[in-house]
Amino acid sequence: MANSTTVTEFLLMNFAERWQLRLLHSMLFLLIYLVTLLGNLLIVTVTTFDPKLNMPMYFFLRNLSVLDMCYVTVTVPNACVNSLTGNSAISVAGCATQVFLVIYFFYVELVFLTIMARDRYVAICQPLHYPVVMNYQCCIQMTLASLLSGLVYAGVHTGQTFQLTFCQSNVIHQFFCDVPSLLRLSCSDTSSNFLLILFSAIVVAGGCFIFITMSYIHIFSTVLKFPIREQGKVFSTCVPHILVVSVFLSSVLSVYLKPSVNSETIQDMILPVFYTIVPPFLNPIIYSLRNTQVKEAVNKVMLRNFHRQMTG
């Protein structure tokens, strides 16, 4: 990757200057991080070892949980260490790696959420065709296509960003390296970068959002024909999905489509939390722990571990 930057390292920002506030933020981020890891690891465990959960829906839940653990690990631990130590320096190579991973996991997360919407659509609207349409081979192919296309997507955005020259400042007004903050530091022409972001927002984010919306329109029109009791069960799982996708996309679009002007408000640092930390934290609760079969599997695992401790 060509890099003509005159900057040898970048400085990330903290949420506060006072050490006591930095400690508080670090403890809060660390708590969210540990709860996120525990929740997603629990989902991975029960969907892997419980034979009753050997279905396409839980296959994608397991993939989403693994992805979320990786996604949240890219930003939160480093932000906590920076706040506690006061050393917020990050090398250009480290910054490029973080940019690549954040974009990669964001893209794959969005595609996984889209696939899960399709899975729900087929299960509810075309139940007789579900075993054929969502067969194991198809699930593997969609997963591999998401992971491999994400490499290309993240590589293009990262390469386009780090071809720029950075000479205005090396202070990134964010708790992790992201493209919008880097564009504001560049003294090169960033119009092509903004066009790339705009194109990606329209094609990738817009396409996925339209697909998810259309899927749920068909789902809701079908569910309205169900008995009232069944309607409640479907709505309780579908509506949170829509809310998380909406927050996920609206927050990232508000950050990436904002004009590249110098801005140093606390809002600029808070908005990325809604697409880097909140979704991995909420996904286990919304997609898994509200599900009756998953809750039964989790209780079974808990009881088994409790029995081992008592007999051990």
Side-chain angles (χ1 to χ4, degrees):
M1 179 173 59
N3 188 5
S4 58
T5 178
T6 57
V7 174
T8 58
E9 67 176 13
F10 294 103
L11 298 177
L12 300 173
M13 294 290 291
N14 293 313
F15 279 97
E17 293 294 331
R18 294 177 57 187
W19 189 86
Q20 292 86 347
L21 292 178
R22 294 209 310 268
L23 177 63
L24 181 63
H25 288 135
S26 298
M27 293 299 101
L28 177 61
F29 270 41
L30 183 60
L31 178 62
I32 293 174
Y33 177 65
L34 294 177
V35 172
T36 300
L37 289 186
L38 180 62
N40 283 289
L41 185 60
L42 190 61
I43 300 307
V44 171
T45 302
V46 298
T47 55
T48 300
F49 296 104
D50 194 319
K52 295 181 180 179
L53 303 182
N54 188 21
M55 297 166 56
M57 181 177 73
Y58 301 110
F59 171 81
F60 291 120
L61 283 175
R62 180 166 60 249
N63 290 341
L64 183 66
S65 293
V66 173
L67 178 72
D68 282 338
M69 287 190 288
C70 298
Y71 192 14
V72 76
T73 301
V74 173
T75 57
V76 175
N78 186 65
C80 292
V81 172
N82 289 346
S83 290
L84 292 175
T85 62
N87 180 18
S88 59
I90 184 171
S91 66
V92 173
C95 188
T97 301
Q98 196 171 48
V99 166
F100 177 87
L101 291 176
V102 167
I103 295 175
Y104 176 74
F105 289 128
F106 161 78
Y107 171 88
V108 179
E109 174 108 358
L110 180 58
V111 176
F112 275 4
L113 293 175
T114 306
I115 294 173
M116 290 170 66
R118 171 174 169 76
D119 175 78
R120 291 297 82 210
Y121 162 74
V122 177
I124 295 172
C125 301
Q126 301 175 349
L128 298 179
H129 297 93
Y130 185 77
V132 176
V133 176
M134 301 300 294
N135 60 73
Y136 183 74
Q137 184 178 3
C138 179
C139 294
I140 293 293
Q141 290 174 348
M142 287 191 291
T143 300
L144 290 177
S146 304
L147 297 175
L148 295 177
S149 61
L151 295 175
V152 177
Y153 182 84
V156 170
H157 280 275
T158 306
Q160 188 78 359
T161 301
F162 283 88
Q163 286 178 354
L164 300 172
T165 301
F166 303 99
C167 57
Q168 294 189 19
S169 171
N170 70 333
V171 179
I172 298 176
H173 190 75
Q174 192 52 264
F175 65 94
F176 66 97
C177 286
D178 68 337
V179 172
S181 299
L182 288 167
L183 294 184
R184 287 193 283 268
L185 300 182
S186 176
C187 50
S188 304
D189 181 14
T190 60
S191 57
S192 60
N193 298 78
F194 185 76
L195 287 176
L196 178 62
I197 292 174
L198 183 62
F199 177 80
S200 301
I202 295 173
V203 175
V204 178
C208 289
F209 181 74
I210 290 173
F211 187 91
I212 292 172
T213 302
M214 295 303 297
S215 297
Y216 278 111
I217 289 174
H218 289 295
I219 289 173
F220 290 153
S221 63
T222 302
V223 168
L224 290 176
K225 303 173 185 177
F226 292 179
I228 299 297
R229 193 173 186 179
E230 294 296 319
Q231 290 181 18
K233 291 172 60 178
V234 175
F235 285 134
S236 66
T237 56
C238 292
V239 171
H241 187 180
I242 296 173
L243 291 175
V244 168
V245 171
S246 300
V247 172
F248 186 55
L249 284 178
S250 61
S251 59
V252 73
L253 291 178
S254 64
V255 171
Y256 275 75
L257 295 182
K258 184 178 181 179
S260 296
V261 295
N262 289 327
S263 174
E264 296 186 358
T265 63
I266 192 64
Q267 182 183 3
D268 295 327
M269 296 183 66
I270 293 176
L271 276 176
V273 172
F274 288 97
Y275 65 84
T276 57
I277 299 176
V278 171
F281 175 73
L282 292 180
N283 282 343
I285 302 172
I286 290 175
Y287 302 125
S288 304
L289 298 181
R290 291 169 60 91
N291 183 288
T292 304
Q293 289 179 292
V294 174
K295 284 194 290 188
E296 290 177 355
V298 169
N299 291 333
K300 192 185 302 181
V301 171
M302 295 294 189
L303 288 173
R304 188 183 303 140
N305 290 334
F306 177 75
H307 179 70
R308 286 177 182 175
Q309 291 178 356
M310 293 298 292
T311 55

